[in-house]
Amino acid sequence: METQAPEQVGHLPFYITGPGQTDGLMIGIIILALVGVVLIGVFYLYLHALPERMAHSSNAFQLQLVGVLALLSLFTHNNIFWIAALLIVAVRVPDFLTPINSIAHSLHRIAHGRDLREADVPQSEEKDQPEATPTEDVAPSAETPAEPSKKEGDGHA
């Protein structure tokens, strides 16, 4: 076997090592590749969780739906689920329940002549009077007692 002459060793590039020596370039590239893979993975998961982070300010149902779609996207590698989750977060679902509850509360106050908080406390004056059903459109006659008039300033509209 021939060995290289000392004159030839001086002309070799720095990344070529001799026999039995540590290859510094290979170790550097391995470290760079591992750090790059970890950083790309962190960026992928950060980007993947974007719809869920955006949905935290919305209602619970929307947050759960977006979370399920994001998990489906992660495990199936179907990007359509992630896009659907992002679109669900981008389009705000209007709150239909609050106005309907307000209407129901107001109708209850109109029908019973009192507030819902007062409905839990039994009142003896109203027990003696028969309640009219919503289907009856009968004006009070002489046989039925008239409804007591509301006091001014009791806060009911």
Side-chain angles (χ1 to χ4, degrees), residues 8 20 24 26-27 33 51 63-64 72 76 78 89 91 95 100-101 105-106 113 122 128 131 138 143 151:
Q8 294 176 337
M26 182 183 75
I27 292 173
L63 177 63
Q64 288 178 352
L72 280 173
T76 62
N78 287 332
V89 170
V91 176
D95 183 19
I100 290 174
N101 284 337
H105 181 74
S106 298
D128 299 333
E131 282 192 26
V138 179
E143 298 174 2
K151 298 175 189 174

Side-chain angles (χ1 to χ4, degrees), residues 5-80:
E7 312 76 53
Q8 294 176 337
V9 174
H11 297 289
L12 293 175
F14 73 96
Y15 53 86
I16 297 179
T17 58
Q21 294 180 346
T22 304
D23 191 0
L25 183 63
M26 182 183 75
I27 292 173
I29 295 297
I30 288 173
I31 291 172
L32 182 68
L34 289 176
V35 168
V37 166
V38 168
L39 288 178
I40 288 173
V42 167
F43 177 71
Y44 174 75
L45 292 176
Y46 178 81
L47 187 64
H48 182 76
L50 182 68
E52 288 181 89
R53 282 194 313 275
M54 290 172 61
H56 277 288
S57 62
S58 62
N59 59 22
F61 175 73
Q62 190 175 11
L63 177 63
Q64 288 178 352
L65 182 63
V66 167
V68 167
L69 286 172
L71 279 176
L72 280 173
S73 170
L74 181 65
F75 292 132
T76 62
H77 299 290
N78 287 332
N79 293 336
I80 192 70

Side-chain angles (χ1 to χ4, degrees), residues 120-140:
D120 298 333
V121 180
Q123 296 180 358
S124 60
E125 295 117 17
E126 293 183 6
K127 286 182 181 178
D128 299 333
Q129 299 175 1
E131 282 192 26
T133 59
T135 57
E136 294 179 15
D137 292 325
V138 179

